Each structure stands twice: as structure tokens, then as C-alpha cells.
Amino acid sequence: MKFIGGIHVSSINLTTDHKRYYVKIKSGEKVAYGFWGFGSDLVFQTITIYLTFFYTDIFGISPAQVTALFLVARIWDAINDPLMGAICEKLHFKMGKYRSWMFYLAIPYGISTILLFTTPNSPAVKVVFAWVTYIAFGMLFTGMIIPATSLSSSMTQDPVERTSLNSFRMFCSQLGGVGCSILVPYLSTHLGSTPKQGYQFAMAILAIIMAISFMVAAKVCQERVPETNSEEPFRFRDVFEQFTKNKPLLFVFVLYLAAYTFNIMVSSVGTYFVTYNMKRGDLLGTWSLTQTLPSIFPLLFVPAMVRRIGKKKVALLGAAISLIGMLMFFFSPDTAFTWLFIGKGIGSFGYGIELGILWSILPDTVEYGEYITGRRCAGVVYSLASLSIKISLTIAGIVPTIVLDAVNYVPNGVQTESCLTAIRFLNSLIPAIFLLIGIIVFSRYSLTEKRFEEIVVELTKRRNEAADKGVTVKLTSQTNASVDK
């Protein structure tokens, strides 16, 4: 007699058994999963919003040096991220395939974020210190984010529940962004005797919260969905196969690039716009809130929107709304504060829709990849998503520094008219172009909800056939289920 995960193979009904892992996540587990999203973005949003400005105006290195740092770091990430995805698939621990990384890397990752906002006393070592700490941060970020985001594909196979789970996580993430917008301006000015100390102490507090959030999620969340039926060891060429054969993943990859480049760019250069174009540094906290707060509310409605019009249309709708907001921003004068805030708020609202659906679409490409290649490689799929975010960080970091250097930007000085115009473009039209590219490419995405369910049925059929032949079926949960004879 054979069993799979405690279920008699002889009792399996293919018409219903494909939903065996359509698990409804309990509220406590969902809250824990959302908690790591809150802690992660509490830190990550701080880095995307403030790091470039911190490097040029507080740490004290030039825009050209920042550009070189971001570029070299991303070249390394092109190797490091897929490699981490492969390692994540290859290694298994007592806590599971993904959760162990989240638990044990939480503290080292937190330390790396504090070092990012630490300024050495010796000017001679500043550049080297920035390079070492930024690249170390990037590697630890990869080691954390790939397992953490891959976890949702293993918690449940239900596409609706995945949408709900990831929408809630992104809701919590944006709350973390709001927390960052409120806490960082306050803490950086009230802690320490200088801005350098203020930023360092502020990040230390946020990093502690972040580390706790990852460790709690690792302990509470569970891995359930089985891996591929194949008994062959993981192959590093699986990375190449996923990237070349998994076409829905490629379209999602481009949409990730567009959405994250848009958000990171408008976040990182917003500080320049408020400081130099609006000449209202006192509004920086409010400006940061406008970048994050409007994106929270649509996350509550994304699951309902998906049930009504489907994931693809929701994704395109969110990008289109953000595009409208950026165009409104672009045509508003520097003195039209109300319209600038409205345009920025609309852009943020659309991005909230985009956030809620991006991480809900990605798990579906894991099943598609398994269907095409015969191998379930969630870690590889999510490593490519991580890589897309890293590339977005590069584009959103390099483009502004190149532009600012070209228009002779003067840190803490009076800016020329051409420089102010460039800052306006960086806050509106340039990120809008990336969104438009994402809309055009993602319009070709064809993995509908109906097609996804057909694929899950086929994968279930393959697992059942493997069970009949006596092939071991690995599970990503703590207790591996095997076929007993």
C-alpha cells in the first residue's frame, strides 16, 4: 500500500486531488508572514529612500563614486542571486528549505544595514568602507529575501489564497514603509549629535525590529507544497532553463523591473525634489508618507479585484494608474504643492495595486516552470525576482547619479535651473517611461487562472503516477512524506 503525505494513493481522485495543497492559511500564520514584510520594508524602504542622499550629502562621496558602486554591485548580483537560488534549492535543513535562512541570517543582515549608514572617521577609507558594506548588504539581502519570498509558494498552492497571503504581506510591507517615513526623519534628527550619528542610530532601531520579524516568521510559518517528483539532484543549469523556458516568468521579470525601478527612483530622488525644487525640507516626512501611505489602501482590495477581473488586468491597471499620477506630477509647477502631492499620491496608489499583485503572480510561475521542465525550482524563480529588484536598484540609483553629475549638482548648495529641471524629470517622466515599457511587455502574459488550474491538475497526475511506480515524493515541510510499500 502506498501513501503520499499520509494519504492513501488508492483513495486519490484526480478531479479533486489537485487541490490537496490548496491550503487556507490560518490567521496566526498569515500575521507572522506579514510581520516579516513589515520588518523588511521598515529597513529596505529606508535604504531606497535615503541611501543615495546619505551617500552624497552626509557620508560625503560623489555621485560618480555612487554610480560606480551601484553598477559593480549589480554585476556581482547577476551571479550571486541565481547562485543563491540554486543553493536554496540544493540544501535542506531541519526547519525546512526556506525558513532556516530567514532565521539564521536575520541578525547578520541587520548588522549589514546598520553599517550602511555608518560613516568612518577617516575620509581616506570612506569609499572602500562604502563598497564593502554595500556589497555585503546586497549578498545578505539576497540570502534573506529569496527564501522569504519563496516561502509563500510552499505554504499553499491555492492561487486565490496566495493572492490573499501576498497582498496581506505587501500591506504590512507598506506599513513598514510608512513607519520608515515617520521614524527616520524624526530619529535621525533626535538621536546623536550629528546627522551621521542620527542615521546610524535610527537604522539600528529599525534593524532590531526587522531581525525579530524574520525570526518570528521562520518559526511560525509552515512549508507544505511538495517538490518535484524527480529524484535527480538539483542542477545549476536549472537556473538557465527557468529563465529561457518559463516564458510567463520572463514577462513577470520585466514587470518587476518596471514597477520597482519606478518606485525606487521616485523614492530616492524625492528628497532632492523637496529640498531643492520645493525648498521645503520641513515637508520631507510628509513627502515620504505620500510615497507610501496611499499604496496601503488598494492592497486591501486586490484579492477582490483579482476574483473579478483576473491577475493580469489588475497588474496592468495598477501600472496605468501610476503612469497617470506621474504625468500629473510632471506638468505641475514646483510651487503647486497640492497638485504635486496629488500626482505623487496617485502614483503611489497605483503602485500599491501593483505590489499586491506582483508577489501573487510570481508563485504561479513556479508551477508553470515545473510543468515545462519537470523540476520544481521555487528558489530559482524567486532568485530571478530578487535579481530584478537588484537591477531596479541599480537603474534607479545609477540614472539619477549620472543625470545629477551631468547637470553639475552641488550637494548642500544652490542648484542651477537645468539641475532643477533634471530633478523634476527624475521624479516623474523618467520613471513613467519604465512603467510604460512594463505595461507593453506584460500585456503578452498568458498564464490565466484557468490555465494555471489545468497545469496543477497535470502536475498532480504526474505525482500520482510517480507514487504508483514507487518514486519518493519530497516535501518542503519539516516532515518529509514518502511512498511506503
Side-chain angles (χ1 to χ4, degrees):
M1 185 174 293
K2 303 180 179 71
F3 295 85
I4 303 179
I7 300 175
H8 287 267
V9 174
S10 59
S11 68
I12 288 174
N13 181 352
L14 189 59
T15 61
T16 59
D17 187 56
H18 73 280
K19 294 188 176 182
R20 187 192 317 164
Y21 301 105
Y22 277 43
V23 178
K24 183 172 178 60
I25 306 298
K26 294 182 179 180
S27 57
E29 189 174 358
K30 183 176 290 187
V31 169
Y33 191 75
F35 187 32
W36 83 253
F38 172 83
S40 178
D41 265 39
L42 194 63
V43 166
F44 186 74
Q45 289 281 7
T46 300
I47 293 168
T48 59
I49 294 173
Y50 297 105
L51 186 61
T52 301
F53 183 81
F54 175 82
Y55 274 156
T56 59
D57 286 45
I58 297 174
F59 190 87
I61 56 178
S62 69
Q65 291 170 325
V66 176
T67 300
L69 169 58
F70 287 166
L71 182 60
V72 172
R74 293 299 85 82
I75 293 173
W76 165 241
D77 285 334
I79 302 171
N80 179 58
D81 283 35
L83 182 63
M84 180 60 201
I87 292 172
C88 194
E89 294 295 337
K90 198 175 183 68
L91 300 181
H92 298 259
F93 303 95
K94 185 177 180 180
M95 287 181 66
K97 182 193 288 189
Y98 305 122
R99 296 182 301 132
S100 297
W101 296 99
M102 297 170 63
F103 187 84
Y104 291 108
L105 287 183
I107 293 177
Y109 176 58
I111 294 172
S112 76
T113 62
I114 297 171
L115 292 176
L116 274 184
F117 287 90
T118 299
T119 305
N121 293 326
S122 173
V125 301
K126 275 187 177 181
V127 175
V128 174
F129 185 85
W131 278 67
V132 171
T133 54
Y134 186 75
I135 292 176
F137 152 75
M139 294 179 66
L140 286 165
F141 172 82
T142 298
M144 289 284 284
I145 206 67
I146 291 176
T149 51
S150 299
L151 182 59
S152 67
S153 69
S154 183
M155 291 170 68
T156 180
Q157 206 169 36
D158 184 347
V160 175
E161 190 65 17
R162 283 176 174 176
T163 299
S164 175
L165 178 66
N166 282 290
S167 294
F168 179 72
R169 194 259 291 184
M170 295 315 302
F171 173 80
C172 294
S173 294
Q174 291 306 92
L175 286 179
V178 171
C180 148
S181 300
I182 296 173
L183 292 174
V184 173
Y186 179 82
L187 294 176
S188 62
T189 55
H190 288 77
L191 297 178
S193 58
T194 65
K196 295 177 182 179
Q197 291 182 343
Y199 273 97
Q200 183 187 41
F201 294 160
M203 180 54 75
I205 293 173
L206 304 186
I208 291 171
I209 298 172
M210 179 276 300
I212 293 172
S213 72
F214 272 92
M215 296 173 81
V216 169
K219 285 292 186 181
V220 176
C221 297
Q222 298 296 316
E223 301 175 29
R224 301 180 180 89
V225 180
E227 301 173 44
T228 176
N229 293 335
S230 172
E231 289 186 296
E232 299 177 23
F234 182 83
R235 308 163 304 184
F236 286 102
R237 71 171 181 267
D238 288 339
V239 177
F240 178 77
E241 287 187 351
Q242 287 292 324
F243 201 71
T244 55
K245 296 182 180 180
N246 193 338
K247 290 184 179 179
L249 176 61
L250 293 180
F251 294 131
V252 174
F253 181 87
V254 173
L255 189 62
Y256 265 79
L257 276 176
Y260 274 92
T261 298
F262 155 75
N263 183 62
I264 294 170
M265 186 175 296
V266 296
S267 297
S268 63
V269 298
T271 306
Y272 295 97
F273 189 86
V274 174
T275 303
Y276 299 112
N277 290 62
M278 296 172 63
K279 297 179 175 60
R280 289 294 302 271
D282 58 302
L283 292 178
L284 185 58
T286 306
W287 189 262
S288 298
L289 277 176
T290 309
Q291 176 65 32
T292 54
L293 198 58
S295 66
I296 294 178
F297 303 111
L299 288 165
L300 299 173
F301 307 107
V302 166
M305 294 170 67
V306 167
R307 288 192 293 269
R308 187 172 183 84
I309 63 176
K311 293 183 178 182
K312 177 181 177 179
K313 290 182 179 179
V314 171
L316 293 174
L317 175 65
I321 292 174
S322 291
L323 187 62
I324 292 171
M326 289 299 94
L327 292 176
M328 182 180 293
F329 186 102
F330 177 73
F331 288 108
S332 300
D334 290 346
T335 55
F337 290 0
T338 300
W339 288 108
L340 289 169
F341 274 98
I342 291 175
K344 190 170 184 65
I346 292 174
S348 174
F349 185 88
Y351 179 68
I353 298 175
E354 203 76 357
L355 268 185
I357 200 61
L358 275 175
W359 292 100
S360 304
I361 292 176
L362 188 63
D364 297 347
T365 67
V366 174
E367 272 77 18
Y368 185 87
E370 182 181 359
Y371 172 74
I372 292 295
T373 66
R375 306 175 71 85
R376 184 178 180 85
C377 302
V380 173
V381 168
Y382 279 86
S383 75
L384 294 175
S386 171
L387 179 60
S388 73
I389 297 174
K390 297 286 192 65
I391 295 174
S392 298
L393 279 167
T394 304
I395 296 172
I398 287 179
V399 170
T401 53
I402 290 176
V403 171
L404 291 176
D405 201 45
V407 295
N408 299 315
Y409 166 75
V410 181
N412 301 304
V414 178
Q415 310 305 328
T416 63
E417 193 62 35
S418 62
C419 183
L420 296 176
T421 301
I423 292 174
R424 167 176 291 276
F425 270 78
L426 289 169
N427 275 272
S428 53
L429 200 58
I430 294 177
I433 292 172
F434 285 100
L435 278 179
L436 183 60
I437 294 172
I439 290 173
I440 294 171
V441 173
F442 191 73
S443 62
R444 299 181 59 192
Y445 182 82
S446 60
L447 185 55
T448 63
E449 283 77 1
K450 180 180 179 182
R451 179 57 180 151
F452 175 80
E453 186 159 344
E454 292 172 352
I455 288 172
V456 173
V457 170
E458 173 61 26
L459 293 176
T460 303
K461 180 180 178 181
R462 293 179 187 176
R463 292 191 182 102
N464 295 343
E465 290 174 349
D468 289 335
K469 297 176 181 178
V471 178
T472 298
V473 181
K474 298 178 183 177
L475 292 180
T476 55
S477 60
Q478 290 172 303
T479 305
N480 289 344
S482 61
V483 178
D484 298 324
K485 295 184 178 179

